[in-house]
Amino acid sequence: MSDGIKKIDLIKNMAVFLDFRWSSSVRDGGNNIAEFKKINILYGRNYSGKTTLSRIFRALETGSISNKYSSPEFQLSFEGGSNATQNSLSTHGQVVRVFNEDFVRDNLRFIVDDEQTINSFAILGEDNTK
């Protein structure tokens, strides 16, 4: 069973995130610490950290963080009270699926190179774990 991501507690040494701390940066209108909702849309200018965030989420899926970062650190909290860090990528126990540019590069190479084959993958149905 998978719990939703509640917040990204911290990110260090990852592109624009030198020392990001959710509790001091993400607040609601009443100045309370905000949390992710069931559906979240992340948008921003180029080089604002969108790809870095997607790579953190993808690391939860694949079990390894992109080698584009030197000494990366992060911690995410889940709704059930558990958390995940760069050191627990293969043991956090959450089901995560990310469709970002790294996924496309790794699985859909045939789009840009006719000589490549299609890697099979499937994500079907609804999440019936709740």
Side-chain angles (χ1 to χ4, degrees):
M1 185 144 119
S2 182
D3 296 318
I5 297 172
K6 186 173 160 181
K7 61 184 178 171
I8 304 169
D9 299 302
L10 67 93
I11 306 172
K12 290 183 177 182
N13 305 319
M14 296 186 73
V16 299
F17 298 103
L18 299 179
D19 190 11
F20 170 83
R21 300 201 180 259
W22 183 283
S23 60
S24 60
S25 301
V26 185
R27 300 290 180 135
D28 66 15
N31 202 31
N32 301 303
I33 298 171
E35 296 178 353
F36 281 118
K37 306 296 184 207
K38 183 175 181 171
I39 296 175
N40 302 274
I41 298 173
L42 305 177
Y43 61 93
R45 296 183 181 274
N46 289 342
Y47 305 102
S48 63
K50 301 178 305 295
T51 298
T52 301
L53 292 175
S54 76
R55 284 186 173 140
I56 290 171
F57 298 140
R58 181 131 165 92
L60 297 175
E61 177 182 7
T62 64
S64 65
I65 189 71
S66 172
N67 61 5
K68 296 184 183 297
Y69 307 108
S70 176
S71 304
E73 293 181 45
F74 60 85
Q75 178 175 312
L76 289 80
S77 293
F78 295 97
E79 290 172 349
S82 65
N83 64 37
T85 70
Q86 71 283 351
N87 296 322
S88 64
L89 292 176
S90 60
T91 61
H92 59 77
Q94 303 297 317
V95 177
V96 178
R97 298 287 180 254
V98 176
F99 185 83
N100 66 359
E101 68 182 77
D102 296 336
F103 176 91
V104 171
R105 183 194 64 242
D106 295 343
N107 296 285
L108 304 175
R109 292 182 291 258
F110 69 92
I111 291 174
V112 295
D113 184 352
D114 291 338
E115 300 298 316
Q116 295 293 322
T117 59
I118 298 173
N119 290 352
S120 61
F121 66 91
I123 300 172
L124 305 171
E126 296 180 21
D127 178 5
N128 293 318
T129 60
K130 298 213 184 227

